[in-house]
Coordinates of all heavy atoms in Angstrom, one line a residue:
N159 N -11.5 10.7 -10.9 CA -12.4 11.3 -10.0 C -11.7 11.6 -8.7 O -11.8 12.7 -8.1 CB -13.7 10.3 -9.7 CG -14.6 10.9 -8.8 OD1 -15.1 12.1 -9.0 ND2 -15.0 10.2 -7.8
I160 N -10.9 10.6 -8.2 CA -10.2 10.8 -7.0 C -9.3 11.9 -7.1 O -9.0 12.7 -6.1 CB -9.4 9.5 -6.6 CG1 -10.4 8.4 -6.1 CG2 -8.4 9.7 -5.5 CD1 -9.8 7.0 -6.1
K161 N -8.6 12.1 -8.2 CA -7.6 13.1 -8.4 C -8.2 14.5 -8.4 O -7.5 15.5 -8.0 CB -6.8 12.9 -9.7 CG -5.7 13.8 -10.0 CD -5.0 13.4 -11.3 CE -5.7 13.5 -12.5 NZ -6.0 15.0 -12.9
N162 N -9.5 14.6 -8.7 CA -10.1 15.9 -9.0 C -11.1 16.3 -7.9 O -11.6 17.5 -7.9 CB -10.8 15.9 -10.4 CG -9.8 15.9 -11.5 OD1 -8.9 16.8 -11.6 ND2 -9.8 14.9 -12.3
I163 N -11.4 15.4 -6.9 CA -12.4 15.8 -5.9 C -11.6 16.2 -4.7 O -10.5 15.7 -4.4 CB -13.4 14.8 -5.6 CG1 -12.7 13.5 -5.1 CG2 -14.3 14.5 -6.9 CD1 -13.7 12.3 -4.7
P164 N -12.2 16.9 -3.7 CA -11.5 17.2 -2.5 C -11.3 15.9 -1.7 O -12.0 14.9 -1.8 CB -12.6 18.1 -1.7 CG -13.4 18.7 -2.8 CD -13.5 17.7 -3.9
F165 N -10.2 15.9 -0.9 CA -9.7 14.7 -0.2 C -10.8 14.2 0.7 O -11.1 13.0 0.8 CB -8.4 15.0 0.5 CG -7.8 13.8 1.1 CD1 -7.2 12.8 0.4 CD2 -7.8 13.6 2.6 CE1 -6.6 11.7 1.0 CE2 -7.1 12.6 3.1 CZ -6.6 11.6 2.3
N166 N -11.5 15.2 1.5 CA -12.5 14.8 2.3 C -13.7 14.1 1.7 O -14.3 13.2 2.2 CB -13.0 16.0 3.2 CG -12.2 16.2 4.4 OD1 -11.3 15.5 4.7 ND2 -12.4 17.3 5.2
T167 N -14.0 14.6 0.5 CA -15.1 14.0 -0.3 C -14.8 12.5 -0.5 O -15.8 11.6 -0.4 CB -15.4 14.7 -1.6 OG1 -15.7 16.1 -1.3 CG2 -16.6 14.0 -2.4
Y168 N -13.6 12.2 -0.9 CA -13.2 10.8 -1.1 C -13.2 10.0 0.2 O -13.8 8.9 0.3 CB -11.8 10.8 -1.7 CG -11.3 9.3 -1.7 CD1 -11.8 8.4 -2.6 CD2 -10.2 9.0 -0.9 CE1 -11.3 7.1 -2.7 CE2 -9.8 7.6 -0.9 CZ -10.3 6.7 -1.8 OH -9.8 5.4 -1.8
M169 N -12.6 10.6 1.2 CA -12.4 9.8 2.5 C -13.8 9.5 3.2 O -14.0 8.5 3.7 CB -11.6 10.6 3.4 CG -10.1 10.7 3.0 SD -9.2 9.2 3.0 CE -8.9 9.0 4.7
L170 N -14.7 10.5 3.1 CA -16.0 10.3 3.7 C -16.9 9.5 2.9 O -18.1 9.2 3.3 CB -16.6 11.7 4.0 CG -15.8 12.5 5.0 CD1 -16.3 14.0 5.1 CD2 -15.9 11.9 6.5
G171 N -16.6 9.2 1.6 CA -17.5 8.5 0.7 C -17.6 7.0 1.1 O -18.5 6.3 0.6
F172 N -16.8 6.5 2.0 CA -16.8 5.1 2.5 C -17.8 5.0 3.6 O -17.5 5.2 4.8 CB -15.4 4.6 2.9 CG -14.5 4.3 1.7 CD1 -14.0 5.4 1.0 CD2 -14.2 3.0 1.4 CE1 -13.1 5.1 -0.1 CE2 -13.4 2.7 0.3 CZ -12.9 3.7 -0.4
Q173 N -19.0 4.7 3.3 CA -20.1 4.8 4.2 C -20.2 3.5 5.1 O -21.1 3.5 5.9 CB -21.5 5.0 3.5 CG -21.4 6.4 2.8 CD -22.7 6.6 2.1 OE1 -23.6 5.8 2.0 NE2 -22.8 7.8 1.4
S174 N -19.3 2.5 5.0 CA -19.3 1.4 5.9 C -18.9 1.9 7.3 O -19.1 1.1 8.3 CB -18.3 0.4 5.4 OG -18.7 -0.1 4.1
F175 N -18.3 3.0 7.5 CA -17.8 3.5 8.7 C -18.4 4.9 8.9 O -18.4 5.7 7.9 CB -16.3 3.6 8.8 CG -15.6 2.4 8.5 CD1 -15.1 2.0 7.2 CD2 -15.3 1.4 9.5 CE1 -14.5 0.8 7.0 CE2 -14.6 0.2 9.3 CZ -14.2 -0.1 8.0
P176 N -18.7 5.3 10.1 CA -19.1 6.7 10.4 C -17.8 7.5 10.2 O -16.8 7.1 10.7 CB -19.5 6.7 11.9 CG -19.0 5.4 12.5 CD -18.9 4.4 11.3
N177 N -17.9 8.6 9.5 CA -16.7 9.4 9.2 C -15.8 8.7 8.2 O -14.6 9.0 8.1 CB -16.0 9.9 10.4 CG -16.8 10.9 11.2 OD1 -17.7 11.6 10.7 ND2 -16.5 11.0 12.5
G178 N -16.3 7.6 7.5 CA -15.6 7.1 6.4 C -14.2 6.5 6.7 O -14.0 5.9 7.8
L179 N -13.2 6.7 5.8 CA -12.0 6.1 6.0 C -11.2 6.7 7.2 O -10.3 6.1 7.7 CB -11.1 6.3 4.7 CG -11.5 5.4 3.6 CD1 -10.7 5.7 2.4 CD2 -11.4 3.9 3.9
Y180 N -11.7 7.9 7.6 CA -11.0 8.5 8.9 C -11.3 7.6 10.0 O -10.4 7.5 10.9 CB -11.5 9.9 9.1 CG -11.0 10.9 8.1 CD1 -11.9 11.6 7.2 CD2 -9.7 11.3 8.1 CE1 -11.5 12.5 6.3 CE2 -9.2 12.2 7.1 CZ -10.1 12.8 6.3 OH -9.7 13.8 5.4
A181 N -12.5 7.1 10.1 CA -12.8 6.1 11.2 C -11.9 4.9 11.2 O -11.5 4.4 12.2 CB -14.3 5.8 11.1
L182 N -11.7 4.4 10.0 CA -10.8 3.2 9.8 C -9.4 3.5 10.3 O -8.8 2.7 10.9 CB -10.9 2.6 8.5 CG -10.1 1.4 8.2 CD1 -10.4 0.3 9.1 CD2 -10.3 0.9 6.7
A183 N -9.0 4.7 9.9 CA -7.6 5.1 10.3 C -7.5 5.2 11.8 O -6.5 4.8 12.4 CB -7.3 6.5 9.7
A184 N -8.5 5.7 12.5 CA -8.5 5.8 14.0 C -8.5 4.3 14.6 O -7.9 4.1 15.6 CB -9.8 6.6 14.4
I185 N -9.3 3.4 14.0 CA -9.3 2.1 14.5 C -8.0 1.4 14.3 O -7.5 0.8 15.3 CB -10.4 1.3 13.7 CG1 -11.8 1.7 14.0 CG2 -10.3 -0.3 14.0 CD1 -12.9 1.2 13.1
L186 N -7.4 1.5 13.2 CA -6.0 0.9 13.0 C -5.0 1.6 13.9 O -4.0 1.0 14.3 CB -5.6 1.0 11.5 CG -6.5 0.2 10.5 CD1 -5.9 0.2 9.2 CD2 -6.5 -1.3 11.0
G187 N -5.2 2.8 14.1 CA -4.2 3.6 15.0 C -4.2 3.1 16.4 O -3.2 3.3 17.1
R188 N -5.3 2.5 16.9 CA -5.3 1.9 18.3 C -4.1 0.9 18.5 O -3.6 0.8 19.5 CB -6.6 1.3 18.5 CG -7.8 2.3 18.7 CD -9.1 1.6 18.8 NE -10.2 2.5 18.6 CZ -11.5 2.1 18.3 NH1 -11.7 0.8 18.3 NH2 -12.5 2.9 18.1
N189 N -4.0 0.1 17.4 CA -2.9 -0.9 17.5 C -1.5 -0.3 17.4 O -0.5 -1.0 17.7 CB -3.1 -1.9 16.4 CG -4.4 -2.7 16.5 OD1 -4.8 -3.0 17.6 ND2 -4.9 -3.2 15.3
L190 N -1.5 0.9 17.1 CA -0.2 1.7 17.1 C 0.0 2.6 18.3 O 0.9 3.5 18.3 CB -0.1 2.5 15.8 CG -0.2 1.7 14.5 CD1 -0.4 2.6 13.3 CD2 1.1 0.8 14.3
N191 N -0.9 2.4 19.2 CA -1.0 3.2 20.5 C -1.2 4.7 20.2 O -0.7 5.5 20.9 CB 0.4 3.1 21.3 CG 0.6 1.7 21.8 OD1 -0.3 1.0 22.3 ND2 1.8 1.2 21.6
L192 N -2.1 4.9 19.2 CA -2.5 6.2 18.9 C -4.0 6.4 19.3 O -4.8 5.6 19.0 CB -2.4 6.5 17.3 CG -1.0 6.4 16.7 CD1 -1.1 6.5 15.2 CD2 0.0 7.5 17.3
S193 N -4.2 7.6 19.9 CA -5.6 7.9 20.2 C -6.1 9.0 19.2 O -5.8 10.1 19.4 CB -5.7 8.4 21.6 OG -7.0 8.7 22.0
L194 N -6.8 8.5 18.2 CA -7.2 9.5 17.2 C -8.7 9.6 17.1 O -9.5 8.7 17.3 CB -6.7 8.9 15.8 CG -5.3 8.6 15.6 CD1 -5.0 7.9 14.3 CD2 -4.4 9.9 15.8
S195 N -9.1 10.9 16.9 CA -10.5 11.2 16.7 C -10.8 11.3 15.2 O -10.2 12.2 14.6 CB -10.9 12.5 17.4 OG -12.1 13.0 17.0
S196 N -11.7 10.6 14.7 CA -12.0 10.7 13.2 C -12.5 12.1 12.9 O -12.2 12.6 11.8 CB -13.0 9.6 12.8 OG -14.2 9.7 13.6
T197 N -13.2 12.7 13.8 CA -13.8 14.1 13.6 C -12.6 15.1 13.5 O -12.6 15.9 12.6 CB -14.7 14.5 14.7 OG1 -15.8 13.6 14.8 CG2 -15.3 15.9 14.4
E198 N -11.6 14.9 14.4 CA -10.5 15.8 14.3 C -9.6 15.5 13.0 O -9.1 16.5 12.4 CB -9.6 15.7 15.6 CG -10.3 16.1 16.8 CD -9.5 15.9 18.0 OE1 -8.3 15.3 17.9 OE2 -9.9 16.2 19.2
L199 N -9.5 14.3 12.6 CA -8.8 14.0 11.4 C -9.5 14.6 10.2 O -8.8 15.1 9.2 CB -8.7 12.5 11.2 CG -7.9 11.7 12.2 CD1 -7.9 10.2 11.9 CD2 -6.4 12.1 12.2
I200 N -10.8 14.7 10.2 CA -11.5 15.3 9.0 C -11.1 16.8 8.9 O -10.7 17.2 7.7 CB -13.1 15.2 9.3 CG1 -13.5 13.8 9.1 CG2 -13.8 16.2 8.3 CD1 -15.0 13.6 9.6
N201 N -11.0 17.5 10.0 CA -10.6 18.9 9.9 C -9.1 19.0 9.6 O -8.7 19.9 8.8 CB -10.9 19.5 11.3 CG -12.4 19.6 11.6 OD1 -13.2 19.8 10.7 ND2 -12.8 19.5 12.8
K202 N -8.3 18.1 10.2 CA -6.8 18.3 10.0 C -6.4 18.0 8.6 O -5.4 18.6 8.1 CB -6.2 17.3 11.0 CG -4.7 17.5 11.1 CD -4.1 16.6 12.2 CE -2.6 16.8 12.3 NZ -2.1 16.0 13.5
Y203 N -7.0 17.0 7.9 CA -6.5 16.6 6.6 C -7.4 17.1 5.5 O -7.3 16.6 4.3 CB -6.3 15.1 6.6 CG -5.3 14.6 7.4 CD1 -5.5 14.2 8.7 CD2 -3.9 14.7 7.0 CE1 -4.4 13.9 9.6 CE2 -2.9 14.2 7.8 CZ -3.1 13.8 9.1 OH -2.1 13.5 9.9
S204 N -8.3 18.0 5.7 CA -9.2 18.5 4.7 C -8.5 19.0 3.4 O -9.0 19.1 2.4 CB -10.2 19.4 5.3 OG -9.5 20.6 5.7
K205 N -7.3 19.6 3.6 CA -6.6 20.2 2.6 C -5.6 19.3 1.8 O -4.8 19.8 1.0 CB -5.9 21.5 3.1 CG -6.7 22.6 3.7 CD -7.7 23.1 2.8 CE -8.5 24.2 3.5 NZ -9.6 24.8 2.6
T206 N -5.6 18.1 2.2 CA -4.7 17.1 1.6 C -5.0 17.0 0.1 O -6.1 17.0 -0.3 CB -4.9 15.7 2.3 OG1 -4.6 15.8 3.7 CG2 -3.9 14.7 1.6
E207 N -3.9 16.9 -0.6 CA -4.0 16.7 -2.1 C -3.2 15.5 -2.6 O -2.1 15.3 -2.0 CB -3.5 18.0 -2.8 CG -4.4 19.2 -2.5 CD -3.9 20.4 -3.4 OE1 -2.9 20.3 -4.0 OE2 -4.7 21.4 -3.4
W208 N -3.7 14.9 -3.6 CA -2.9 13.8 -4.2 C -1.7 14.4 -5.1 O -2.0 15.3 -5.8 CB -3.8 13.0 -5.1 CG -4.8 12.3 -4.4 CD1 -6.1 12.8 -4.0 CD2 -4.9 10.9 -3.8 NE1 -6.9 11.9 -3.4 CE2 -6.1 10.7 -3.2 CE3 -3.9 9.9 -3.8 CZ2 -6.5 9.6 -2.6 CZ3 -4.3 8.7 -3.3 CH2 -5.6 8.5 -2.6
N209 N -0.6 13.9 -5.0 CA 0.5 14.3 -5.9 C 0.4 13.4 -7.1 O 0.3 12.2 -7.0 CB 1.9 14.1 -5.2 CG 2.1 15.1 -4.0 OD1 2.3 16.3 -4.2 ND2 1.9 14.5 -2.9

Side-chain angles (χ1 to χ4, degrees):
N159 184 51
I160 288 168
K161 184 172 67 71
N162 290 299
I163 62 174
F165 189 68
N166 272 358
T167 301
Y168 171 71
M169 295 292 282
L170 294 171
F172 284 73
Q173 298 179 358
S174 299
F175 302 93
N177 289 338
L179 289 176
Y180 288 115
L182 181 54
I185 291 169
L186 297 183
R188 294 172 191 164
N189 294 330
L190 302 168
N191 296 317
L192 298 174
S193 180
L194 303 176
S195 161
S196 58
T197 302
E198 291 177 2
L199 293 177
I200 291 170
N201 295 325
K202 187 172 183 178
Y203 290 94
S204 63
K205 302 298 182 183
T206 299
E207 295 183 353
W208 298 84
N209 294 285

